[in-house]
Amino acid sequence: LNLSEENIEKGKFKVCLEYHLHNCKGPCEGLQSKAEYDSDIEAARLIIKGNISKVKELLKERMHREASELAFERAQKTKERLELIERYQVKSTVVNPTITNVDVFSVITDAEYGYVNYLRLVEGAVVFSHTVEIKKKLDEAAEDFLEYAIPELRERFQSHSKEVFVSEPIGLTLPDATVLFPQRGDKRHVVELSLRNAKYYRMERLKNMQIVDPDRHVNRLMQQMKEDLRLSEEPRHLECFDNSNIQGTNPVAACVVFKNGKPSKKDYRNFNIKTVAGPDDYASMEEVVYRRYKRLLEESSPLPQLIVIDGGKGQLGSALVALEQLGLRGKIAIIGIAKRLEEIYFPGDPVPLYLDKRSETLKVIQQARNEAHRFGITHHRNKRSKNSFKSELESVEGFGPATVKVLLKHFKTVKAVKAATKEEWTAVIGLAKAEKLQIYLSENQE
């Protein structure tokens, strides 16, 4: 309502239900003075800005004044308002209330952008948050983004805070504020809150990018992987190897292929281990890597930009031996990933690389590793199942699947075959095979 003095004097407005519920003091009919009304508006403004202490002081002064004037009912109402404000302050406080009038800046970066988050704290409560996305022009470090963004954001949002917390040590000096790089305690917790805001903003941006512009998302992901894994080119074509065996039986291996960060299932390959006896992961890895790339070379098929080996330094060393034999060492980037701590091993480097657990690069590598494990295990189970359920009759010399099929069709079960006589066998499969079956059963009575 336009609460001008003229409109109130002319009686243009009437009090509404809020007045009768005691939620409003009726300024529209002049039942509340302009000074008191303006005071309430200013108090609301202070609360929104986070200056709750000043509001509490005003309410305490009013409560004591009303009590001294013996207006105890009004004093009680003011006390209730004071308690509401205190409860609101408890809910909105996120850090130590002594941390007041502080600006917090944090930054995270990826291959293309830097994301700077700005938090404003007043009396322990976050009253403002804003994140900006800044495109990389060169290979800027994280602190470069902070030094660029802090003066601009403080000027844009008219901040006069005397303290500034940052997530990275910077060389920036501000004429009217002190720049601090907290290491621990409540101040560090505030910086970490700002970092979480920046990460959440980036995550939401990437989700939208993946939906709206998938090509841009793939290009950014490939550039990020190249940077994180110190590669000379983007890993558009990635292959991952994994071995599978149980107590050395039916050893197999799997090779899965990722193109542009996505599984290319038509290019998956399974390998039955041929030259290795027993559970020897290192020798098995050497065999399958050699066989895979020997075939690609013979067929003049494109080679991958990155090979991922499921295992630590041992399996990685075996794969390197195979590449050496084919003259491919140094021509294809190769890494190993150890399961326990998700350590990334590089050839000739005993110290592993630890990627951020939430990084997209690690997620792609983990997905490839898990896919290779799943694909290999499925093949191994199928092979083991086939061998486990192979009919005992196929062990008889000269018996193939056709002979076994004829016997089982006539006698129904292996037990019935064993219980039959030589004459019955002869009638079904002939004398020569009946004699072989008799010899086999006599040698394997148990």
Side-chain angles (χ1 to χ4, degrees):
L1 304 179
N2 180 10
L3 298 181
S4 66
E5 292 182 9
E6 292 178 5
N7 289 339
I8 293 171
E9 287 174 3
K10 289 179 181 178
K12 280 195 171 186
F13 311 114
K14 298 293 182 184
V15 291
C16 61
L17 182 61
E18 295 295 331
Y19 172 79
H20 298 289
L21 293 174
H22 305 292
N23 290 335
C24 177
K25 294 184 178 179
C28 59
E29 288 192 8
L31 302 177
Q32 182 185 25
S33 69
K34 185 176 187 303
E36 188 181 358
Y37 178 80
D38 288 343
S39 174
D40 284 348
I41 294 298
E42 181 59 27
R45 242 191 223 109
L46 290 170
I47 291 170
I48 292 169
K49 288 182 177 180
N51 297 323
I52 295 174
S53 296
K54 193 169 183 180
V55 179
K56 287 166 65 178
E57 288 174 12
L58 291 172
L59 288 173
K60 284 178 183 177
E61 288 176 8
R62 182 185 297 181
M63 182 178 67
H64 292 309
R65 185 175 66 252
E66 290 167 343
S68 64
E69 294 172 356
L70 304 182
F72 297 118
E73 287 186 5
R74 282 188 298 166
Q76 177 61 28
K77 290 285 185 184
T78 304
K79 182 182 178 184
E80 290 171 2
R81 292 174 71 186
L82 178 61
E83 289 172 349
L84 284 170
I85 291 292
E86 287 175 341
R87 285 204 293 274
Y88 168 76
Q89 184 180 25
V90 168
K91 287 181 180 179
S92 62
T93 298
V94 293
V95 291
N96 192 324
T98 59
I99 300 178
T100 182
N101 300 329
V102 172
D103 287 345
V104 184
F105 293 90
S106 66
V107 61
I108 60 170
T109 62
D110 59 25
E112 287 188 281
Y113 291 91
Y115 303 86
V116 178
N117 176 256
Y118 167 40
L119 292 184
R120 182 182 294 170
L121 269 73
V122 177
E123 297 182 17
V126 176
V127 297
F128 179 78
S129 176
H130 182 75
T131 303
V132 293
E133 178 184 81
I134 306 171
K135 186 169 179 60
K136 283 186 175 179
K137 295 180 180 177
L138 299 170
D139 192 18
E140 295 97 335
E143 53 268 24
D144 295 330
F145 290 103
L146 282 178
E147 292 176 3
Y148 168 75
I150 289 174
E152 183 183 333
L153 290 172
R154 278 172 60 88
E155 182 178 354
R156 188 197 304 179
F157 297 108
Q158 300 177 355
S159 172
H160 303 290
S161 300
K162 298 299 181 185
E163 279 191 318
V164 174
F165 298 165
V166 293
S167 62
E168 306 284 339
I170 58 176
L172 179 69
T173 55
L174 299 173
D176 55 347
T178 305
V179 179
L180 301 174
F181 172 50
Q183 302 285 326
R184 60 186 66 84
D186 289 334
K187 293 180 179 180
R188 183 63 198 177
H189 292 157
V190 177
V191 173
E192 288 170 355
L193 174 64
S194 177
L195 280 168
R196 285 200 295 274
N197 282 357
K199 289 174 181 175
Y200 179 78
Y201 178 88
R202 176 177 176 270
M203 183 176 65
E204 290 300 309
R205 289 280 293 166
L206 295 183
K207 281 181 183 176
N208 293 336
M209 185 195 303
Q210 194 168 357
I211 296 168
V212 176
D213 192 351
D215 290 338
R216 183 185 165 197
H217 170 73
V218 169
N219 293 337
R220 185 200 53 75
L221 175 59
M222 291 297 104
Q223 183 63 29
Q224 186 70 46
M225 291 186 70
K226 176 185 173 183
E227 186 178 299
D228 289 345
L229 299 174
R230 312 162 193 166
L231 305 176
S232 58
E233 56 183 328
E234 295 178 353
R236 297 277 175 172
H237 178 178
L238 176 155
E239 296 189 355
C240 182
F241 293 86
D242 182 38
N243 292 329
S244 295
N245 69 75
I246 295 180
Q247 297 177 345
T249 64
N250 307 120
V252 298
C255 169
V256 299
V257 178
F258 273 47
K259 292 185 177 177
N260 291 327
K262 298 273 183 74
S264 178
K265 296 194 176 183
K266 65 183 177 66
D267 297 313
Y268 286 13
R269 295 292 181 270
N270 275 313
F271 297 86
N272 293 319
I273 305 300
K274 298 178 179 178
T275 63
V276 181
D280 189 338
D281 271 355
Y282 300 156
S284 298
M285 186 62 72
E286 182 181 339
E287 178 190 325
V288 296
V289 171
Y290 180 85
R291 286 168 55 191
R292 169 66 173 169
Y293 296 112
K294 183 173 185 291
R295 178 156 189 165
L296 290 185
L297 290 172
E298 289 172 350
E299 296 175 350
S300 299
S301 299
L303 297 171
Q305 286 88 36
L306 177 64
I307 299 171
V308 178
I309 302 299
D310 181 18
K313 289 184 282 187
Q315 285 89 342
L316 179 61
S318 299
L320 282 168
V321 170
L323 293 181
E324 185 83 50
Q325 293 169 356
L326 295 167
L328 293 176
R329 182 163 182 175
K331 296 181 181 178
I332 306 176
I334 183 169
I335 61 172
I337 177 169
K339 286 188 179 72
R340 193 169 67 88
L341 297 174
E342 306 294 43
E343 302 158 317
I344 306 294
Y345 285 95
F346 293 87
D349 189 350
V351 180
L353 170 70
Y354 294 93
L355 293 172
D356 188 319
K357 300 299 181 190
R358 290 169 292 187
S359 78
E360 290 177 289
T361 299
L362 183 60
K363 285 180 180 176
V364 172
I365 295 172
Q366 286 174 327
Q367 185 186 359
R369 188 265 313 278
N370 295 341
E371 189 72 353
H373 186 67
R374 178 198 64 78
F375 191 59
I377 283 290
T378 302
H379 177 56
H380 181 264
R381 283 175 180 159
N382 292 340
K383 186 179 178 185
R384 193 174 75 241
S385 176
K386 181 180 177 182
N387 289 345
S388 298
F389 294 104
K390 183 178 178 181
S391 174
E392 183 186 354
L393 296 176
E394 289 189 31
S395 301
V396 180
E397 184 183 353
F399 275 36
T403 305
V404 173
K405 186 177 180 181
V406 170
L407 281 169
L408 292 178
K409 185 177 180 180
H410 183 82
F411 293 102
K412 306 303 181 189
T413 66
V414 174
K415 186 176 180 181
V417 172
K418 290 180 177 180
T421 63
K422 182 179 177 182
E423 288 73 20
E424 291 174 315
W425 298 334
T426 303
V428 177
I429 57 175
L431 180 60
K433 289 186 177 180
E435 288 177 347
K436 289 181 179 180
L437 178 57
Q438 186 178 35
I439 292 169
Y440 173 81
L441 293 177
S442 64
E443 291 176 352
N444 298 275
Q445 287 182 0
E446 293 182 2

